[in-house]
Amino acid sequence: MAEHIDVLIPEDEVERRIGEMAEQINMEYADRGVHLICILKGSIFFTCELAKKLTIPVTMDFMSVSSYGAGTRSSGVVRLVKDLDEPIEHKNVIVLEDIVDSGHTLHYLLHNLTQRNPESLKLAALLDKPDRRVTDVHVDYTGFTIPDKFVVGCGMDYDQRYRNLPYIGVISFDD
Ligand code: 5GP
């Protein structure tokens, strides 16, 4: 089955928007600094690009959860694959997600991380697909709102491929 990738959001637009998000975070956290939690693997590019544009004190940690198999639909069951290395108590945390789809992953993360008593906890997502939401999650910083399409690039994969594309693309399949 042949795969096609059509550009949905070009590289320069992604970069510009992440810059705007960083500016907002720089202003809102100017007096505190921020502890970024990158949700592996999809958020790695978003995290790097955003972190490079932050001028406030930044610390970072990494967590990995899984809710997808090799296909394009969420199973709804979220599993912790790799936990944080450091406690987040008294820290001003921003969780960085590549994309919010059903909302299961962020719902799980919010519940899990709130119990660790951070000073504050906010959520940032490069992409939001609100049409597919089945849980009520509030995203504090959203890059782009997109239609219900399966996207790849900027860290996001299809079957572990295409994460390295510098733009956001929509994947389609020929029969
Ligand atoms: P949710 O739990 O909100 O349904 O899904 C969140 C996770 O599913 C994302 O972090 C991402 O790993 C994956 N996901 C959701 N939609 C897409 C998509 O369009 N493309 C890719 N590559 N992954 C997606």
Side-chain angles (χ1 to χ4, degrees):
M1 199 160 52
E3 296 160 8
H4 292 287
I5 314 283
D6 293 310
V7 177
L8 181 68
I9 308 172
E11 182 177 3
D12 57 341
E13 253 187 75
V14 174
E15 197 179 319
R16 184 191 53 75
R17 182 67 190 122
I18 294 177
E20 288 174 355
M21 295 169 87
E23 257 177 54
Q24 192 181 347
I25 293 169
N26 278 332
M27 277 191 298
E28 293 181 9
Y29 288 80
D31 55 340
R32 302 173 272 175
V34 72
H35 186 65
L36 301 179
I37 295 182
C38 169
I39 307 303
L40 298 169
K41 304 170 189 166
S43 306
I44 185 86
F45 287 61
F46 176 39
T47 302
C48 292
E49 293 307 315
L50 185 88
K52 283 192 287 185
K53 293 177 165 69
L54 293 177
T55 51
I56 52 177
V58 173
T59 52
M60 295 167 72
D61 205 343
F62 300 84
M63 199 173 185
S64 179
V65 293
S66 134
S67 67
Y68 267 54
T72 61
R73 292 291 180 214
S74 168
S75 64
V77 178
V78 182
R79 194 167 55 90
L80 181 60
V81 177
K82 182 217 170 292
D83 205 352
L84 298 172
D85 291 335
E86 305 287 336
I88 56 169
E89 205 173 356
H90 308 312
K91 293 183 178 163
N92 291 293
V93 172
I94 300 181
V95 176
L96 301 178
E97 255 286 52
D98 49 358
I99 181 164
V100 190
D101 188 20
S102 68
H104 286 307
T105 305
L106 273 189
H107 187 263
Y108 168 87
L109 286 170
L110 207 57
H111 179 73
N112 181 300
L113 296 173
T114 303
Q115 290 171 336
R116 306 184 194 197
N117 296 321
E119 178 70 26
S120 65
L121 180 60
K122 288 200 176 185
L123 305 175
L126 180 58
L127 302 178
D128 188 3
K129 265 199 281 194
D131 292 349
R132 303 215 338 123
R133 196 76 90 257
V134 297
T135 59
D136 191 20
V137 284
H138 173 72
V139 183
D140 300 281
Y141 307 98
T142 303
F144 300 92
T145 300
I146 61 163
D148 180 12
K149 306 266 188 211
F150 193 83
V151 293
V152 293
C154 296
M156 287 166 285
D157 73 308
Y158 172 69
D159 219 358
Q160 299 305 326
R161 287 174 296 132
Y162 305 118
R163 291 190 196 278
N164 58 312
L165 296 180
Y167 54 87
I168 311 271
V170 174
I171 189 163
S172 58
F173 307 92
D174 291 339
D175 296 325

